[in-house]
Each structure stands twice: as structure tokens, then as C-alpha cells.
Amino acid sequence: MGIDAQLDPTRPHPARRYNYWLGGKDNFQADRDAGDAIANVFPSIRTAARENRAFMQRAVRHLAGEAGIRQFLDIGTGLPTANNVHDVAQGIAPESRVVYVDNDPLVLSHARALLTSSDEGATAYIDADVREPGKILADPAVTGTLDWSQPIALLLVAILHFVEDHEDPRGIVKTLVDALPAGSYLVLSHATFDPLDGETIAAMNAVNEKIKPRFSPRPRAGVLPFFDGLELLDPGLVSVQEWRPESESRPTDAEATGYGAVARVG
């Protein structure tokens, strides 16, 4: 089935909604309506989106720089903007190899058109859902682009809050992490309501019941188990804007509303 046949512009998609919040143009009215519904009760959502993306970029810079990682598996890629994973990694190490994974056909069509690799490195893109980790790990683009005898950075950035508890998000992460070679890393961020007041939480929950797909924000105690058995890098699991910040001027935890951490495997 082709890209156009799969694409339903009447159904909002998290990647396109995120694109809208970041000021992008690759979204439809359904995405903007869903994004506005959330922004109406949580006006800082665009700040939260920017801070989450900035966390990802800082994490990739650290891994490609100080940690020497040259391979990245980014699940839940989102629509291309400036400073994508391969832009950051190959800007430090041109030989870096990146595989992008998403289940929105618009993401994949834009990725193939816009996410071009350096001559020394490689990028690949697959259409898959995080809920099917076995399918991702077995995909020829994943097995062929990445060398599974060498460390790999697995990115699960702002994706697991779209996986509900009954879909076993911890099992998904374990399947993916268990496949990684020793010396690999997990980069993970996750939405939370921890710093929000009761009134805002009630309003967000009301909106969440009406939009699809719904999201499952988790408390810190619900996010920390994703890192079981791994070695958390300093400063541990913190609000995304507090993970190795590069500026003294930062939004509050309530504006960023997300946890983030990087952990070493084995």
C-alpha cells in the first residue's frame, strides 16, 4: 500500500501534532485542532515540545561526542525539523549511522526526501510501530544499517506516553534494550503530570478522553522502571530541561512537564 493510500488527514497523529507545536507546516487541520485543544488547557505545551526536542539534541551530542557512539536507532522519529538525530550525530562524527522508525506515512515520505546522510555515514527509515519491537529489530533496514556487534543508542523520545499500560510499555522497552550490545545507551523522555496543579490535571484529563490517540502521562515512579538494570548517567531521571542544561535561563518543571534520562547498557 502506498503512502497516499495509508494517510488519513482526518485522524490526528502525535508526530504531526508535535510538528504543529514546534511551528512546522507538515500537519493537517485534525492535528491542529487536537493540538489547540491541549494548548487551550495547557498553554505551555509548545514550550514542553521545544524542551523535549532540546533534551534529545543534548543527549545525542553527548553520546556522539564524549561517549563515542556512532549508531542510533530512533523510534518515534516525528517529522523532520532542524537538527535531527543524524544532523547532530554526523555533525560530530560524519560516519554515524542512524535508523529512523515511525508509523505515520507522512513522516516516512518526508524522511526519505529530506533526511539525507553524510557521505561517510548512513540513514535508513522504516514504517513500524513501537508496539512491535520484534518487527523493528528484524527489519532488514535495521539489521543492515546498524552493526549489532557495536554499541547502539536507542532513542525513545516522547513516544512511550502513547503506549498504555495494558500494551506493556515496560515489556517493549525490555525487548529493545535486551537486544542492544553491551556499551549501548537508552535515551528516553516521557510526559508527566507530576508538576501540574490539580485544576490543570483535571482539564488535561478531560481533553485526553476526547482526542485520539490518547496519551498516558506517568509519574516519576512510573518512568523510572524503564531504566531497570541500566546505569543512569548524571543527573539521573530529571525534568527534561534539567538534563545537562546549556543555559541558565530555563522553563519551570511545570512548563516542561516531562522527564528525561540517558542510561548505559551493560
Side-chain angles (χ1 to χ4, degrees):
M1 186 180 295
I3 291 293
D4 292 339
Q6 296 180 45
L7 186 61
D8 182 358
T10 68
R11 290 174 58 86
H13 190 281
R16 300 193 301 263
R17 187 169 63 211
Y18 190 63
N19 173 264
Y20 172 56
W21 286 331
L22 289 172
K25 301 183 184 302
D26 298 310
N27 47 74
F28 299 112
Q29 190 61 49
D31 308 306
R32 295 189 288 273
D33 289 344
D36 287 342
I38 295 172
N40 285 340
V41 298
F42 182 59
S44 298
I45 188 61
R46 290 176 175 82
T47 297
R50 288 193 299 269
E51 290 302 320
N52 181 76
R53 188 159 182 82
F55 157 75
M56 178 275 288
Q57 293 164 347
R58 293 196 303 275
V60 172
R61 276 198 293 273
H62 168 75
L63 293 178
E66 293 178 41
I69 297 297
R70 298 294 179 261
Q71 304 188 104
F72 298 83
L73 176 59
D74 182 10
I75 302 177
T77 300
L79 283 148
T81 60
N83 295 320
N84 300 287
V85 173
H86 77 284
D87 294 319
V88 177
Q90 292 180 350
I92 295 170
E95 69 273 22
S96 297
R97 307 174 74 82
V98 181
V99 177
Y100 291 109
V101 182
D102 209 288
N103 68 345
D104 179 22
L106 188 63
V107 171
L108 273 297
S109 65
H110 277 260
R112 293 186 180 106
L114 299 176
L115 299 182
T116 55
S117 173
S118 66
D119 291 338
E120 300 92 335
T123 57
Y125 329 95
I126 69 170
D127 180 2
D129 193 298
V130 69
R131 297 170 185 83
E132 301 177 304
K135 177 182 176 182
I136 293 171
L137 294 170
D139 191 284
V142 174
T143 59
T145 304
L146 303 178
D147 177 358
W148 288 80
S149 70
Q150 298 298 317
I152 295 169
L154 168 65
L155 279 72
L156 296 170
V157 176
I159 183 66
L160 290 174
H161 47 247
F162 295 110
V163 181
E164 299 188 47
D165 288 342
H166 70 87
E167 296 173 305
D168 192 19
R170 288 181 64 182
I172 290 169
V173 175
K174 186 176 189 306
T175 298
L176 292 166
V177 169
D178 284 352
L180 297 174
S184 294
Y185 289 85
L186 171 63
V187 179
L188 187 151
S189 68
H190 197 295
T192 186
F193 283 172
D194 278 356
L196 302 182
D197 61 78
E199 182 178 349
T200 301
I201 292 173
M204 289 283 276
N205 282 331
V207 170
N208 198 19
E209 291 303 315
K210 298 176 182 177
I211 63 173
K212 301 294 181 183
R214 72 189 307 277
F215 57 94
S216 299
R218 293 183 171 93
R220 188 177 187 278
V223 178
L224 195 57
F226 291 130
F227 298 95
D228 281 355
L230 306 182
E231 178 189 350
L232 283 167
L233 274 60
D234 288 338
L237 180 63
V238 294
S239 188
V240 286
Q241 85 283 6
E242 297 297 340
W243 195 89
R244 306 196 177 189
E246 296 171 348
S247 170
E248 294 185 3
S249 176
R250 300 190 291 279
T252 65
D253 290 359
E255 291 171 321
T257 58
Y259 289 115
V262 178
R264 191 175 188 274
V265 179

